[in-house]
Amino acid sequence: MTTGVTYRIFQLLKRDFLQALGFTWRWFMRPRPFLLSGLAAAVVVGVIWLVPLDDAAPLVLKPTDQEAREAVKQTAQALSFYGDFAGFNVALFLGLLGTGWALRSRKFMRLAVASLLCACLSGLCANVIRSATGRPRPSTKVEDRLYGPSLSSAYQALPSAHTATAFGGALPVLLSSPVLGTPLTLVAAGVGWSRLQLNRHHLTDVLASVLLSFLFSLPLTRWAMLGRMRSASTLTHAPDTSRPSH
């Protein structure tokens, strides 16, 4: 790949990131009383319904066989390690970007931007919120309540940043293209499960992260879909009339 092509890709991505960020900002700034009221009600109902399940952790596997327990633990550790931002989200971004470039498809290029930006915004908000709430992790042997701002990892359970970035990357793809997004969402669900299995988060921590990611995925999916029918002529390749634009 020549320097000129690399520079062109960088310029195209820079433009798309700025456009997507601006679109997201304007989307949140518009009055949406019904949407915001519905989300607030869903959060309240969900917390009331799910908090009693936090201690039971029904999704945690507890096999009696030692070998099976070790296999479950290693699987959960692998999902948490490779499902983090530097693994899952970067790989997903590069995969979508490479596919878009190879197919000369603006749809995939914009999905790559929407996926990465959604993961960044979801992860950033998750880190800010969990540092402010100060909820102890299940492995921290103290009373489960909100202790307020804390820089200690032991008091940064709510919400789960791993889950927020994983679903942040997967949901824009799922909402834009269910066929492509379904396996990615299953991987994201596996990352969320791994945080429960490893006793790093409560169930409500994980679900709060999914809701946070979903909230950011709405405007970013809308932005990606608005441009899916645009011509691929903005790419550096010469137009190829033998291939339909996506």
Side-chain angles (χ1 to χ4, degrees):
M1 186 179 293
T2 65
T3 303
V5 172
T6 303
Y7 178 76
R8 180 60 178 164
I9 294 175
F10 174 78
Q11 290 295 104
L12 186 61
L13 289 176
K14 177 183 176 182
R15 187 197 68 182
D16 280 351
F17 271 109
L18 291 176
Q19 285 183 355
L21 196 58
F23 185 91
T24 302
W25 172 261
R26 292 190 297 273
W27 191 89
F28 279 111
M29 290 299 101
R30 295 190 192 120
R32 300 176 185 275
F34 294 106
L35 175 62
L36 297 178
S37 299
L39 288 174
V43 170
V44 172
V45 173
V47 168
I48 294 174
W49 180 53
L50 291 169
V51 163
L53 300 177
D54 274 343
D55 291 335
L59 299 178
V60 173
L61 302 179
K62 297 180 179 179
T64 56
D65 180 68
Q66 176 63 32
E67 185 175 343
R69 281 200 303 272
E70 187 62 26
V72 169
K73 180 181 178 181
Q74 290 180 359
T75 300
Q77 289 175 334
L79 281 168
S80 284
F81 181 79
Y82 292 107
D84 203 0
F85 182 86
F88 178 68
N89 294 108
V90 173
L92 176 57
F93 170 72
L94 294 176
L96 290 171
L97 182 64
T99 301
W101 182 257
L103 299 178
R104 304 179 188 180
S105 169
R106 291 293 288 133
K107 171 186 174 181
F108 280 99
M109 299 280 285
R110 291 171 74 92
L111 272 182
V113 171
S115 173
L116 187 64
L117 188 55
C118 188
C120 289
L121 293 175
S122 301
L124 177 62
C125 283
N127 280 308
V128 170
I129 294 171
R130 69 179 187 167
S131 298
T133 55
R135 187 183 190 184
R137 296 183 185 274
S139 55
T140 305
K141 306 303 181 183
V142 296
E143 180 187 356
D144 182 18
R145 62 181 179 85
L146 304 183
Y147 287 84
S150 174
L151 296 179
S152 172
S153 175
Y155 289 85
Q156 295 182 355
L158 177 67
S160 164
H162 275 77
T163 308
T165 56
F167 273 93
L171 286 179
V173 185
L174 177 68
L175 296 176
S176 299
S177 178
V179 174
L180 291 175
T182 297
L184 297 174
T185 305
L186 291 176
V187 173
V191 173
W193 165 81
S194 73
R195 307 310 288 164
L196 298 174
Q197 185 67 37
L198 296 174
N199 205 32
R200 299 297 291 164
H201 288 282
H202 306 275
L203 179 60
T204 44
D205 302 336
V206 170
L207 294 176
S209 299
V210 176
L211 180 61
L212 183 64
S213 301
F214 177 73
L215 187 60
F216 281 112
S217 72
L218 293 177
L220 286 166
T221 301
R222 176 66 175 163
W223 171 82
M225 294 182 70
L226 281 174
R228 65 189 304 173
M229 300 305 295
R230 291 185 178 181
S231 171
S233 61
T234 50
L235 299 179
T236 56
H237 289 68
D240 184 352
T241 56
S242 65
R243 295 181 182 179
S245 60
H246 297 263

